[in-house]
Amino acid sequence: MSRSLTPNNRRATTAVATNASSSRRIAPELSNAALDYAYDGSFEGLLTVLFTVYDRKSAPNSIQPLGAVQGGLFAMPVQIDTDDATAARVWEGLLRYMDKEARTRLFHTFLSEQSDRELLIFRYADLAMRAGRDISDNYADDNVRRVASIAQQMYREKHRMEAFVRFEKTSDGLFHATIDPDFDVLPLIAPHFTKRYADQRWLIFDKRRRYGLYYDLQRTDIVEFESTGPQRNTAISATVLDEREPLFKLLWQSYFDHVNIPERKNIKLHRRHMPLRYWRYLSEKQPREQRFEPIKNKRPIG
């Protein structure tokens, strides 16, 4: 980071200009032969790869998670070990060439699980470093457009998950929800649920990616579930649910039915705001096992 200097003469002014330009160095030319890189699949691992690319001055032919490596006929990928300190240095260094919002879009691109996400992130970062400035408004470039488009998709998926997740209470007081989002949005929805449900223990499980978020009234942690055999239905068994859970579900369905206005039903608009693929999470969209009927000979007091 450049220091603030007060120029008193031409020499001092030149020093300021030199120091300012050094804080935003142009990326070195990648003059050596291109390489295939492999990493552990984490975002920190990818940032370590980006550092290695410029350290070796070798552009990537490919960047692949270790579990998906496809070596060429004569060459094997260079495996890069994750270094958290190096990753943090790269992450902070990106702010020299883009603002925090643009940098966040790179993280969202990683979570999107696009097949070429690693190369897309590299190309975007490389373009920004060679331009020496933020390029988020350069929509003439295909990489910029794709990153912006992916960020929009992630934003929509994040907010839909925040709106459509429905918890079930287990007999030990844990609130559990199972989701299957198109993108890996658990890291993005963690702050919302931590703040909104701070007074209860909860677990949100992503059954496609086999990991979840667990909040224990103190902090939210990522928890992983090992799968040693075929994946089974992750719905909670009725034997472990709180005995009042069916009533809660029935009351919610009854509320939904009563606030619904049949004359104003617009199925097309409804499905646009609440796509069909989310309905399996929603209590109000499940078949009615029984209707909620008030006890006719009872009246509330007052």
Side-chain angles (χ1 to χ4, degrees):
M1 181 179 295
S2 59
R3 293 175 294 174
S4 177
L5 301 175
T6 303
N8 296 318
N9 50 42
R10 184 182 299 275
R11 181 177 180 181
T13 303
T14 303
V16 171
T18 302
N19 198 38
S21 62
S22 65
S23 68
R24 188 175 289 187
R25 296 188 298 271
I26 302 300
E29 291 298 324
L30 304 178
S31 53
N32 295 328
L35 296 172
D36 295 304
Y37 296 92
Y39 72 112
D40 64 3
S42 68
F43 188 61
E44 291 77 13
L46 177 58
L47 293 176
T48 307
V49 170
L50 295 185
F51 175 86
T52 306
V53 165
Y54 295 103
D55 187 50
R56 294 193 175 201
K57 297 183 180 180
S58 295
N61 277 324
S62 66
I63 305 175
Q64 306 172 66
L66 285 172
V69 166
Q70 297 179 354
L73 186 60
F74 301 106
M76 289 298 295
V78 177
Q79 182 174 333
I80 305 301
D81 295 328
T82 298
D83 186 291
D84 290 337
T86 298
R89 177 182 169 187
V90 172
W91 186 239
E92 289 302 314
L94 289 174
L95 290 178
R96 297 176 180 175
Y97 311 97
M98 60 189 74
D99 60 23
K100 287 187 176 181
E101 184 177 348
R103 186 182 66 168
T104 298
R105 285 196 287 271
L106 294 184
F107 180 53
H108 289 182
T109 299
F110 179 80
L111 294 177
S112 72
E113 301 175 326
Q114 297 288 315
S115 59
D116 63 341
R117 59 182 178 169
E118 293 91 356
L119 284 178
L120 178 57
I121 291 170
F122 161 73
R123 289 193 295 262
Y124 187 103
D126 187 70
L127 185 64
M129 287 188 286
R130 298 198 185 285
R133 60 176 179 80
D134 185 86
I135 58 168
S136 57
D137 58 351
N138 181 17
Y139 293 109
D141 185 87
D142 180 62
N143 299 297
V144 175
R145 289 198 308 272
R146 283 197 61 202
V147 167
S149 176
I150 290 171
Q152 289 180 342
Q153 294 177 58
M154 294 292 295
Y155 180 83
R156 286 194 295 267
E157 187 78 341
K158 168 185 178 293
H159 282 275
R160 283 170 174 168
M161 283 294 107
E162 291 172 349
F164 299 151
V165 166
R166 297 290 186 267
F167 288 100
E168 292 181 299
K169 187 179 182 181
T170 62
S171 56
D172 65 351
L174 175 70
F175 288 84
H176 176 281
T178 299
I179 63 175
D180 186 18
D182 284 349
F183 310 114
D184 184 8
V185 296
L186 279 185
L188 305 184
I189 66 176
H192 169 83
F193 286 99
T194 300
K195 182 178 180 180
R196 184 170 182 180
Y197 299 103
D199 61 342
Q200 58 197 41
R201 293 189 306 118
W202 49 261
L203 170 69
I204 302 175
F205 174 66
D206 184 335
K207 68 178 184 179
R208 182 182 305 187
R209 296 161 187 88
R210 306 297 299 172
Y211 84 100
L213 298 173
Y214 173 64
Y215 175 71
D216 64 357
L217 299 179
Q218 299 295 327
R219 53 181 286 177
T220 302
D221 289 313
I222 289 178
V223 291
E224 295 187 78
F225 297 83
E226 295 295 334
S227 179
T228 57
Q231 295 185 15
R232 291 175 287 182
N233 191 334
T234 53
I236 306 177
S237 169
T239 59
V240 301
L241 288 176
D242 187 288
E243 61 182 6
R244 296 165 295 176
E245 182 59 35
L247 176 60
F248 295 152
K249 181 177 180 180
L250 184 62
L251 289 172
W252 179 250
Q253 290 176 340
S254 176
Y255 167 78
F256 181 82
D257 291 341
H258 280 78
V259 299
N260 184 40
I261 304 174
E263 294 78 12
R264 300 186 63 181
K265 183 177 293 186
N266 185 332
I267 295 298
K268 185 177 180 180
L269 180 64
H270 182 64
R271 289 182 177 179
R272 188 194 314 168
H273 290 287
M274 188 185 291
L276 278 170
R277 63 190 177 90
Y278 297 103
W279 288 17
R280 60 182 178 271
Y281 308 127
L282 307 177
S283 299
E284 61 268 28
K285 291 299 182 183
Q286 306 312 308
R288 302 299 190 256
E289 298 177 3
Q290 65 181 101
R291 292 188 59 81
F292 176 78
E293 296 290 346
I295 301 176
K296 291 184 170 46
N297 62 346
K298 300 289 185 181
R299 296 288 183 271
I301 299 175

